[in-house]
Amino acid sequence: MIVNGDSFNIINPELFKHSLEGIRQSVATPDSFYSADNVICWNRHFSFMTDEPFMEAMRKNATSNIEMTIIWRTYILCHFAKLARRLEGDFVEVGAYKGNTANVIADRIDLASSGKQYYLYDAFEHKETDIHHSMPEHGPELYTTVKERFAAYPFVKVIKGYVPESFEKGFPEKIAFAHIDLNQAPAEVEALKRIIPCMVPGAVLVLDDYGWWSYGTQKEAEDPLLAEFGLDILELPTGQGLVIKPYA
Ligand SMILES: C[S@@+](CC[C@H](N)C(=O)[O-])C[C@H]1O[C@@H](n2cnc3c(N)ncnc32)[C@H](O)[C@@H]1O
C-alpha cells in the first residue's frame, strides 16, 4: 500500500509502478524535457525551439533569463498575433513593462509592414500606494528607456500613466490583438471594459495572469465580465487565458 501525502489516498502499487516506469522511459529522451515558468513536461516536440524566426526574435530581445523562461507564453502570443495581423484593427499591450514581449511580437510577425499601430501602456514607475507589485526596472528612467527601445518603430506608441485613465492619451478605434498583463484585477477589469467593445470579429485577447492561482482575484473578477460580453475563455497550461471574439 502506498499512502499519498496528507490525503491518505491508497494508490494501487502496480499502477503506481507502471506510471513511474512510463515517466522514466519518456524522460529518457534527452531532447524532450522542459521545465520553466511552473511548467514541467516531457515527451513533446517543443516546436518553438525549432521555429528559427521566433528564436531569433527571442535571442535579439530577451535581455534576461526571466524573459527566456516565459518562452512558451511568448510563442503563444506570437502565434495569435500573426493571425490577428490579418484582421482590421490595431494591437495593444496593457502592462508593457520593459517592452520585451511587444518587441518580440513586432519583430516576429513584421508588424512594421502591416500598417497597424501597437499601443503600449504602463505606469513604468511604482508607488507605495499601488496595488500591483513593483518590478526591478521600475523607476523614473524606464519610460524613456522603452521609448528609446522603440525609436526605430514609429508604429509603436508608448503611453505612460495609470490604466485606464492613460487611455485618454491615445486609444485605437478598432483592436485586432490585446495582451493584458497588469498583475492586478481592478485596472484589468476597467481596461477590458474599454477594450472588448473595440475588438473586431476574430480579434484575440490574451490575459497573461488568468490561470495563475496566485493571481486568483483576476480570474474571479474577469470571468463574470467576459460572460457579460458573451466571451469564452480558454485557460492554457502556461497560465494565460485565451479569448477569440466570435464572428457571429
Ligand atoms: C508583469 S509586468 C508586464 C510585463 C510585460 N507584459 C512583458 O511581457 O514584458 C506588469 C506591468 O503592469 C504595470 N501596471 C500595473 N498596473 C498598472 C496600471 N493601473 N496602469 C499602468 N500600468 C500598470 C506595472 O507597472 C508593470 O510594469
Side-chain angles (χ1 to χ4, degrees):
M1 180 204 296
I2 297 168
V3 176
N4 179 23
D6 306 329
S7 59
F8 295 101
N9 291 326
I10 296 168
I11 297 172
N12 175 326
E14 284 314 308
L15 191 60
F16 186 66
K17 271 193 253 167
H18 180 74
S19 307
L20 281 185
E21 179 52 21
I23 292 170
R24 195 196 63 75
Q25 282 177 15
S26 52
V27 169
T29 327
D31 290 337
S32 180
F33 191 84
Y34 175 93
S35 168
D37 200 22
N38 288 24
V39 177
I40 300 175
C41 74
W42 58 91
N43 204 14
R44 301 285 178 84
H45 289 296
F46 307 117
S47 304
F48 47 86
M49 302 282 193
T50 50
D51 180 332
E52 200 35 49
F54 170 71
M55 289 307 288
E56 195 187 317
M58 283 298 287
R59 283 192 293 267
K60 179 181 157 215
N61 291 294
T63 50
S64 74
N65 259 350
I66 295 176
E67 285 150 5
M68 282 312 273
T69 61
I70 59 164
I71 188 168
W72 211 334
R73 289 196 233 180
T74 314
Y75 184 63
I76 286 168
L77 286 167
C78 286
H79 177 88
F80 286 100
K82 195 172 169 202
L83 289 175
R85 191 186 186 282
R86 299 182 194 163
L87 305 172
E88 202 188 352
D90 293 313
F91 279 35
V92 300
E93 184 173 48
V94 184
Y97 189 41
K98 295 194 290 176
N100 185 68
T101 303
N103 213 159
V104 176
I105 292 172
D107 288 348
R108 171 64 185 94
I109 69 166
D110 184 22
L111 203 61
S113 66
S114 70
K116 295 186 181 305
Q117 308 291 300
Y118 203 166
Y119 292 78
L120 309 186
Y121 302 93
D122 207 290
F124 297 112
E125 295 190 42
H126 188 264
K127 295 197 190 102
E128 283 300 309
T129 47
D130 286 341
I131 299 178
H132 60 276
H133 58 78
S134 70
M135 297 183 68
E137 306 283 332
H138 278 153
E141 289 89 35
L142 185 57
Y143 170 60
T144 312
T145 309
V146 177
K147 287 272 285 179
E148 282 166 5
R149 176 176 195 155
F150 291 105
Y153 298 66
F155 59 94
V156 174
K157 315 278 172 225
V158 183
I159 298 178
K160 178 176 162 70
Y162 284 104
V163 169
E165 294 78 11
S166 61
F167 288 167
E168 300 313 317
K169 298 181 186 172
F171 194 79
E173 268 178 36
K174 290 181 178 172
I175 295 175
F177 179 84
H179 179 215
I180 315 293
D181 188 10
L182 293 178
N183 295 4
Q184 57 138 320
E188 286 206 1
V189 164
E190 293 312 311
L192 288 170
K193 286 182 189 165
R194 276 295 299 279
I195 287 168
I196 293 171
C198 298
M199 286 168 62
V200 299
V204 177
L205 167 68
V206 179
L207 302 170
D208 185 69
D209 313 312
Y210 179 80
W212 288 75
W213 186 261
S214 41
Y215 291 109
T217 52
Q218 282 164 245
K219 177 175 162 53
E220 222 170 273
E222 287 159 12
D223 277 345
L225 181 68
L226 291 163
E228 265 176 50
F229 281 104
L231 296 173
D232 290 325
I233 183 152
L234 174 65
E235 181 182 331
L236 301 178
T238 52
Q240 293 158 304
L242 173 67
V243 178
I244 310 279
K245 184 147 182 181
Y247 281 86

mmCIF file of all heavy atoms in Angstrom, residues 137-172:
data_model
loop_
_atom_site.group_PDB
_atom_site.id
_atom_site.type_symbol
_atom_site.label_atom_id
_atom_site.label_comp_id
_atom_site.label_asym_id
_atom_site.label_seq_id
_atom_site.Cartn_x
_atom_site.Cartn_y
_atom_site.Cartn_z
ATOM 1 N N GLU A 137 12.974 46.956 -12.737
ATOM 2 C CA GLU A 137 13.356 48.085 -13.604
ATOM 3 C C GLU A 137 12.439 49.303 -13.458
ATOM 4 O O GLU A 137 12.618 50.299 -14.160
ATOM 5 C CB GLU A 137 13.356 47.649 -15.078
ATOM 6 C CG GLU A 137 14.189 46.435 -15.381
ATOM 7 C CD GLU A 137 15.692 46.715 -15.441
ATOM 8 O OE1 GLU A 137 16.073 47.843 -15.766
ATOM 9 O OE2 GLU A 137 16.466 45.794 -15.124
ATOM 10 N N HIS A 138 11.419 49.208 -12.604
ATOM 11 C CA HIS A 138 10.535 50.365 -12.409
ATOM 12 C C HIS A 138 11.339 51.557 -11.902
ATOM 13 O O HIS A 138 12.213 51.409 -11.049
ATOM 14 C CB HIS A 138 9.433 50.049 -11.380
ATOM 15 C CG HIS A 138 8.280 49.305 -11.962
ATOM 16 N ND1 HIS A 138 7.481 48.481 -11.218
ATOM 17 C CD2 HIS A 138 7.763 49.262 -13.214
ATOM 18 C CE1 HIS A 138 6.539 47.963 -11.970
ATOM 19 N NE2 HIS A 138 6.689 48.417 -13.193
ATOM 20 N N GLY A 139 11.011 52.732 -12.403
ATOM 21 C CA GLY A 139 11.717 53.924 -11.944
ATOM 22 C C GLY A 139 11.540 55.042 -12.943
ATOM 23 O O GLY A 139 10.975 54.838 -14.033
ATOM 24 N N PRO A 140 12.044 56.224 -12.610
ATOM 25 C CA PRO A 140 11.819 57.396 -13.458
ATOM 26 C C PRO A 140 12.415 57.285 -14.865
ATOM 27 O O PRO A 140 11.978 57.971 -15.774
ATOM 28 C CB PRO A 140 12.479 58.546 -12.680
ATOM 29 C CG PRO A 140 13.173 57.940 -11.531
ATOM 30 C CD PRO A 140 12.756 56.518 -11.375
ATOM 31 N N GLU A 141 13.403 56.381 -15.044
ATOM 32 C CA GLU A 141 14.035 56.291 -16.379
ATOM 33 C C GLU A 141 13.327 55.297 -17.316
ATOM 34 O O GLU A 141 13.587 55.306 -18.517
ATOM 35 C CB GLU A 141 15.504 55.837 -16.288
ATOM 36 C CG GLU A 141 16.445 56.870 -15.720
ATOM 37 C CD GLU A 141 16.520 56.746 -14.217
ATOM 38 O OE1 GLU A 141 16.449 55.603 -13.739
ATOM 39 O OE2 GLU A 141 16.603 57.779 -13.531
ATOM 40 N N LEU A 142 12.493 54.425 -16.753
ATOM 41 C CA LEU A 142 12.016 53.309 -17.582
ATOM 42 C C LEU A 142 11.216 53.776 -18.812
ATOM 43 O O LEU A 142 11.374 53.232 -19.909
ATOM 44 C CB LEU A 142 11.202 52.312 -16.740
ATOM 45 C CG LEU A 142 10.757 51.045 -17.482
ATOM 46 C CD1 LEU A 142 11.940 50.277 -18.086
ATOM 47 C CD2 LEU A 142 9.950 50.119 -16.573
ATOM 48 N N TYR A 143 10.377 54.794 -18.628
ATOM 49 C CA TYR A 143 9.572 55.275 -19.766
ATOM 50 C C TYR A 143 10.478 55.693 -20.920
ATOM 51 O O TYR A 143 10.284 55.292 -22.075
ATOM 52 C CB TYR A 143 8.691 56.440 -19.307
ATOM 53 C CG TYR A 143 7.996 57.178 -20.424
ATOM 54 C CD1 TYR A 143 7.107 56.526 -21.279
ATOM 55 C CD2 TYR A 143 8.228 58.547 -20.634
ATOM 56 C CE1 TYR A 143 6.467 57.211 -22.307
ATOM 57 C CE2 TYR A 143 7.596 59.234 -21.651
ATOM 58 C CZ TYR A 143 6.720 58.558 -22.492
ATOM 59 O OH TYR A 143 6.096 59.242 -23.510
ATOM 60 N N THR A 144 11.526 56.477 -20.599
ATOM 61 C CA THR A 144 12.455 56.946 -21.636
ATOM 62 C C THR A 144 13.192 55.766 -22.265
ATOM 63 O O THR A 144 13.372 55.705 -23.486
ATOM 64 C CB THR A 144 13.489 57.921 -21.002
ATOM 65 O OG1 THR A 144 12.764 58.840 -20.214
ATOM 66 C CG2 THR A 144 14.289 58.645 -22.045
ATOM 67 N N THR A 145 13.583 54.808 -21.436
ATOM 68 C CA THR A 145 14.291 53.632 -21.964
ATOM 69 C C THR A 145 13.412 52.881 -22.965
ATOM 70 O O THR A 145 13.882 52.455 -24.029
ATOM 71 C CB THR A 145 14.670 52.684 -20.799
ATOM 72 O OG1 THR A 145 15.330 53.452 -19.804
ATOM 73 C CG2 THR A 145 15.549 51.545 -21.231
ATOM 74 N N VAL A 146 12.132 52.733 -22.614
ATOM 75 C CA VAL A 146 11.229 51.989 -23.506
ATOM 76 C C VAL A 146 10.975 52.807 -24.785
ATOM 77 O O VAL A 146 10.950 52.253 -25.893
ATOM 78 C CB VAL A 146 9.913 51.600 -22.780
ATOM 79 C CG1 VAL A 146 8.957 50.894 -23.726
ATOM 80 C CG2 VAL A 146 10.216 50.700 -21.578
ATOM 81 N N LYS A 147 10.803 54.125 -24.630
ATOM 82 C CA LYS A 147 10.634 54.987 -25.821
ATOM 83 C C LYS A 147 11.835 54.816 -26.754
ATOM 84 O O LYS A 147 11.680 54.691 -27.960
ATOM 85 C CB LYS A 147 10.555 56.466 -25.411
ATOM 86 C CG LYS A 147 9.272 56.869 -24.750
ATOM 87 C CD LYS A 147 8.212 57.292 -25.711
ATOM 88 C CE LYS A 147 8.463 58.674 -26.301
ATOM 89 N NZ LYS A 147 7.406 59.018 -27.263
ATOM 90 N N GLU A 148 13.029 54.821 -26.163
ATOM 91 C CA GLU A 148 14.258 54.682 -26.971
ATOM 92 C C GLU A 148 14.326 53.296 -27.615
ATOM 93 O O GLU A 148 14.756 53.154 -28.751
ATOM 94 C CB GLU A 148 15.504 54.920 -26.109
ATOM 95 C CG GLU A 148 15.738 56.409 -25.878
ATOM 96 C CD GLU A 148 16.749 56.677 -24.770
ATOM 97 O OE1 GLU A 148 17.344 55.725 -24.238
ATOM 98 O OE2 GLU A 148 16.912 57.871 -24.433
ATOM 99 N N ARG A 149 13.898 52.308 -26.873
ATOM 100 C CA ARG A 149 13.917 50.947 -27.410
ATOM 101 C C ARG A 149 13.132 50.876 -28.727
ATOM 102 O O ARG A 149 13.494 50.139 -29.644
ATOM 103 C CB ARG A 149 13.301 49.993 -26.369
ATOM 104 C CG ARG A 149 13.186 48.577 -26.843
ATOM 105 C CD ARG A 149 12.661 47.644 -25.761
ATOM 106 N NE ARG A 149 12.905 46.266 -26.168
ATOM 107 C CZ ARG A 149 13.019 45.242 -25.360
ATOM 108 N NH1 ARG A 149 12.890 45.399 -24.063
ATOM 109 N NH2 ARG A 149 13.240 44.030 -25.826
ATOM 110 N N PHE A 150 12.010 51.638 -28.772
ATOM 111 C CA PHE A 150 11.150 51.579 -29.954
ATOM 112 C C PHE A 150 11.350 52.781 -30.886
ATOM 113 O O PHE A 150 10.495 53.054 -31.720
ATOM 114 C CB PHE A 150 9.678 51.450 -29.524
ATOM 115 C CG PHE A 150 9.365 50.114 -28.899
ATOM 116 C CD1 PHE A 150 9.198 49.986 -27.520
ATOM 117 C CD2 PHE A 150 9.271 48.970 -29.684
ATOM 118 C CE1 PHE A 150 8.926 48.750 -26.947
ATOM 119 C CE2 PHE A 150 9.001 47.726 -29.120
ATOM 120 C CZ PHE A 150 8.832 47.612 -27.744
ATOM 121 N N ALA A 151 12.476 53.464 -30.739
ATOM 122 C CA ALA A 151 12.720 54.661 -31.565
ATOM 123 C C ALA A 151 12.652 54.326 -33.062
ATOM 124 O O ALA A 151 12.190 55.138 -33.858
ATOM 125 C CB ALA A 151 14.066 55.259 -31.201
ATOM 126 N N ALA A 152 13.085 53.145 -33.422
ATOM 127 C CA ALA A 152 13.072 52.768 -34.843
ATOM 128 C C ALA A 152 11.763 52.077 -35.254
ATOM 129 O O ALA A 152 11.666 51.506 -36.337
ATOM 130 C CB ALA A 152 14.251 51.841 -35.124
ATOM 131 N N TYR A 153 10.758 52.140 -34.364
ATOM 132 C CA TYR A 153 9.461 51.508 -34.633
ATOM 133 C C TYR A 153 8.382 52.606 -34.523
ATOM 134 O O TYR A 153 7.690 52.685 -33.502
ATOM 135 C CB TYR A 153 9.142 50.420 -33.604
ATOM 136 C CG TYR A 153 10.088 49.233 -33.539
ATOM 137 C CD1 TYR A 153 11.410 49.359 -33.123
ATOM 138 C CD2 TYR A 153 9.630 47.955 -33.849
ATOM 139 C CE1 TYR A 153 12.252 48.263 -33.034
ATOM 140 C CE2 TYR A 153 10.469 46.837 -33.754
ATOM 141 C CZ TYR A 153 11.774 47.008 -33.352
ATOM 142 O OH TYR A 153 12.601 45.916 -33.255
ATOM 143 N N PRO A 154 8.226 53.442 -35.543
ATOM 144 C CA PRO A 154 7.297 54.579 -35.414
ATOM 145 C C PRO A 154 5.843 54.167 -35.187
ATOM 146 O O PRO A 154 5.032 54.970 -34.723
ATOM 147 C CB PRO A 154 7.452 55.321 -36.754
ATOM 148 C CG PRO A 154 8.158 54.385 -37.666
ATOM 149 C CD PRO A 154 8.907 53.404 -36.841
ATOM 150 N N PHE A 155 5.521 52.933 -35.486
ATOM 151 C CA PHE A 155 4.140 52.448 -35.310
ATOM 152 C C PHE A 155 3.859 52.064 -33.847
ATOM 153 O O PHE A 155 2.722 51.756 -33.491
ATOM 154 C CB PHE A 155 3.877 51.247 -36.238
ATOM 155 C CG PHE A 155 4.813 50.089 -35.982
ATOM 156 C CD1 PHE A 155 4.448 49.054 -35.133
ATOM 157 C CD2 PHE A 155 6.076 50.041 -36.577
ATOM 158 C CE1 PHE A 155 5.313 48.006 -34.886
ATOM 159 C CE2 PHE A 155 6.948 48.988 -36.334
ATOM 160 C CZ PHE A 155 6.572 47.968 -35.487
ATOM 161 N N VAL A 156 4.881 52.076 -32.993
ATOM 162 C CA VAL A 156 4.685 51.745 -31.567
ATOM 163 C C VAL A 156 4.466 53.023 -30.771
ATOM 164 O O VAL A 156 5.281 53.943 -30.822
ATOM 165 C CB VAL A 156 5.896 50.959 -30.996
ATOM 166 C CG1 VAL A 156 5.746 50.749 -29.482
ATOM 167 C CG2 VAL A 156 6.045 49.611 -31.690
ATOM 168 N N LYS A 157 3.342 53.085 -30.073
ATOM 169 C CA LYS A 157 3.014 54.255 -29.240
ATOM 170 C C LYS A 157 3.205 53.860 -27.773
ATOM 171 O O LYS A 157 2.452 53.011 -27.271
ATOM 172 C CB LYS A 157 1.538 54.663 -29.412
ATOM 173 C CG LYS A 157 1.058 54.700 -30.854
ATOM 174 C CD LYS A 157 1.444 55.988 -31.523
ATOM 175 C CE LYS A 157 1.162 55.982 -33.006
ATOM 176 N NZ LYS A 157 2.244 56.509 -33.833
ATOM 177 N N VAL A 158 4.195 54.428 -27.138
ATOM 178 C CA VAL A 158 4.452 54.102 -25.729
ATOM 179 C C VAL A 158 3.733 55.139 -24.869
ATOM 180 O O VAL A 158 4.032 56.336 -24.950
ATOM 181 C CB VAL A 158 5.971 54.112 -25.432
ATOM 182 C CG1 VAL A 158 6.231 53.689 -23.988
ATOM 183 C CG2 VAL A 158 6.724 53.198 -26.398
ATOM 184 N N ILE A 159 2.774 54.685 -24.067
ATOM 185 C CA ILE A 159 1.919 55.623 -23.316
ATOM 186 C C ILE A 159 2.099 55.402 -21.815
ATOM 187 O O ILE A 159 1.801 54.328 -21.288
ATOM 188 C CB ILE A 159 0.441 55.469 -23.748
ATOM 189 C CG1 ILE A 159 0.349 55.821 -25.246
ATOM 190 C CG2 ILE A 159 -0.482 56.348 -22.898
ATOM 191 C CD1 ILE A 159 -1.003 55.688 -25.868
ATOM 192 N N LYS A 160 2.585 56.453 -21.177
ATOM 193 C CA LYS A 160 2.877 56.371 -19.731
ATOM 194 C C LYS A 160 1.678 56.849 -18.915
ATOM 195 O O LYS A 160 1.044 57.844 -19.261
ATOM 196 C CB LYS A 160 4.090 57.256 -19.423
ATOM 197 C CG LYS A 160 4.483 57.308 -17.948
ATOM 198 C CD LYS A 160 5.757 58.133 -17.787
ATOM 199 C CE LYS A 160 5.980 58.607 -16.375
ATOM 200 N NZ LYS A 160 6.323 57.627 -15.401
ATOM 201 N N GLY A 161 1.404 56.133 -17.823
ATOM 202 C CA GLY A 161 0.341 56.566 -16.916
ATOM 203 C C GLY A 161 -0.469 55.384 -16.436
ATOM 204 O O GLY A 161 -0.258 54.244 -16.876
ATOM 205 N N TYR A 162 -1.385 55.687 -15.534
ATOM 206 C CA TYR A 162 -2.209 54.611 -14.985
ATOM 207 C C TYR A 162 -3.366 54.263 -15.910
ATOM 208 O O TYR A 162 -4.078 55.146 -16.392
ATOM 209 C CB TYR A 162 -2.764 55.019 -13.612
ATOM 210 C CG TYR A 162 -1.712 54.939 -12.525
ATOM 211 C CD1 TYR A 162 -1.116 56.088 -12.027
ATOM 212 C CD2 TYR A 162 -1.308 53.710 -12.030
ATOM 213 C CE1 TYR A 162 -0.138 56.012 -11.048
ATOM 214 C CE2 TYR A 162 -0.325 53.619 -11.048
ATOM 215 C CZ TYR A 162 0.253 54.777 -10.575
ATOM 216 O OH TYR A 162 1.228 54.688 -9.616
ATOM 217 N N VAL A 163 -3.521 52.986 -16.149
ATOM 218 C CA VAL A 163 -4.663 52.450 -16.885
ATOM 219 C C VAL A 163 -5.837 52.369 -15.903
ATOM 220 O O VAL A 163 -5.641 51.945 -14.756
ATOM 221 C CB VAL A 163 -4.302 51.035 -17.412
ATOM 222 C CG1 VAL A 163 -5.519 50.323 -17.952
ATOM 223 C CG2 VAL A 163 -3.186 51.113 -18.446
ATOM 224 N N PRO A 164 -7.041 52.778 -16.274
ATOM 225 C CA PRO A 164 -7.486 53.114 -17.637
ATOM 226 C C PRO A 164 -7.372 54.604 -17.989
ATOM 227 O O PRO A 164 -7.584 54.954 -19.147
ATOM 228 C CB PRO A 164 -8.957 52.684 -17.615
ATOM 229 C CG PRO A 164 -9.400 52.956 -16.214
ATOM 230 C CD PRO A 164 -8.198 52.677 -15.344
ATOM 231 N N GLU A 165 -7.029 55.476 -17.021
ATOM 232 C CA GLU A 165 -7.012 56.920 -17.319
ATOM 233 C C GLU A 165 -6.088 57.232 -18.497
ATOM 234 O O GLU A 165 -6.374 58.097 -19.326
ATOM 235 C CB GLU A 165 -6.576 57.742 -16.092
ATOM 236 C CG GLU A 165 -7.537 57.700 -14.908
ATOM 237 C CD GLU A 165 -7.423 56.409 -14.091
ATOM 238 O OE1 GLU A 165 -6.463 55.641 -14.300
ATOM 239 O OE2 GLU A 165 -8.324 56.164 -13.259
ATOM 240 N N SER A 166 -4.969 56.516 -18.596
ATOM 241 C CA SER A 166 -3.983 56.811 -19.652
ATOM 242 C C SER A 166 -4.526 56.509 -21.053
ATOM 243 O O SER A 166 -3.943 56.943 -22.045
ATOM 244 C CB SER A 166 -2.694 56.027 -19.400
ATOM 245 O OG SER A 166 -2.954 54.652 -19.426
ATOM 246 N N PHE A 167 -5.627 55.766 -21.146
ATOM 247 C CA PHE A 167 -6.225 55.503 -22.463
ATOM 248 C C PHE A 167 -6.633 56.813 -23.134
ATOM 249 O O PHE A 167 -6.736 56.885 -24.352
ATOM 250 C CB PHE A 167 -7.452 54.583 -22.339
ATOM 251 C CG PHE A 167 -7.138 53.133 -22.013
ATOM 252 C CD1 PHE A 167 -8.156 52.268 -21.620
ATOM 253 C CD2 PHE A 167 -5.849 52.624 -22.124
ATOM 254 C CE1 PHE A 167 -7.902 50.935 -21.332
ATOM 255 C CE2 PHE A 167 -5.573 51.289 -21.836
ATOM 256 C CZ PHE A 167 -6.608 50.436 -21.437
ATOM 257 N N GLU A 168 -6.876 57.835 -22.307
ATOM 258 C CA GLU A 168 -7.274 59.137 -22.872
ATOM 259 C C GLU A 168 -6.151 59.739 -23.712
ATOM 260 O O GLU A 168 -6.387 60.585 -24.567
ATOM 261 C CB GLU A 168 -7.672 60.136 -21.766
ATOM 262 C CG GLU A 168 -8.838 59.686 -20.893
ATOM 263 C CD GLU A 168 -10.014 59.157 -21.724
ATOM 264 O OE1 GLU A 168 -10.348 59.773 -22.746
ATOM 265 O OE2 GLU A 168 -10.568 58.085 -21.343
ATOM 266 N N LYS A 169 -4.914 59.315 -23.481
ATOM 267 C CA LYS A 169 -3.775 59.882 -24.234
ATOM 268 C C LYS A 169 -3.637 59.248 -25.615
ATOM 269 O O LYS A 169 -2.819 59.683 -26.420
ATOM 270 C CB LYS A 169 -2.473 59.658 -23.461
ATOM 271 C CG LYS A 169 -2.441 60.344 -22.112
ATOM 272 C CD LYS A 169 -1.083 60.070 -21.453
ATOM 273 C CE LYS A 169 -1.022 60.608 -20.043
ATOM 274 N NZ LYS A 169 0.203 60.190 -19.362
ATOM 275 N N GLY A 170 -4.383 58.205 -25.851
ATOM 276 C CA GLY A 170 -4.293 57.526 -27.149
ATOM 277 C C GLY A 170 -4.887 56.139 -27.021
ATOM 278 O O GLY A 170 -4.506 55.394 -26.116
ATOM 279 N N PHE A 171 -5.842 55.832 -27.897
ATOM 280 C CA PHE A 171 -6.518 54.533 -27.820
ATOM 281 C C PHE A 171 -7.060 54.222 -29.219
ATOM 282 O O PHE A 171 -7.631 55.081 -29.877
ATOM 283 C CB PHE A 171 -7.670 54.604 -26.806
ATOM 284 C CG PHE A 171 -8.211 53.264 -26.399
ATOM 285 C CD1 PHE A 171 -7.546 52.494 -25.460
ATOM 286 C CD2 PHE A 171 -9.373 52.765 -26.983
ATOM 287 C CE1 PHE A 171 -8.032 51.247 -25.087
ATOM 288 C CE2 PHE A 171 -9.863 51.519 -26.618
ATOM 289 C CZ PHE A 171 -9.197 50.760 -25.668
ATOM 290 N N PRO A 172 -6.868 52.967 -29.666
ATOM 291 C CA PRO A 172 -7.318 52.647 -31.037
ATOM 292 C C PRO A 172 -8.843 52.539 -31.140
ATOM 293 O O PRO A 172 -9.509 52.181 -30.171
ATOM 294 C CB PRO A 172 -6.676 51.278 -31.295
ATOM 295 C CG PRO A 172 -6.386 50.709 -29.963
ATOM 296 C CD PRO A 172 -6.217 51.836 -28.996
#
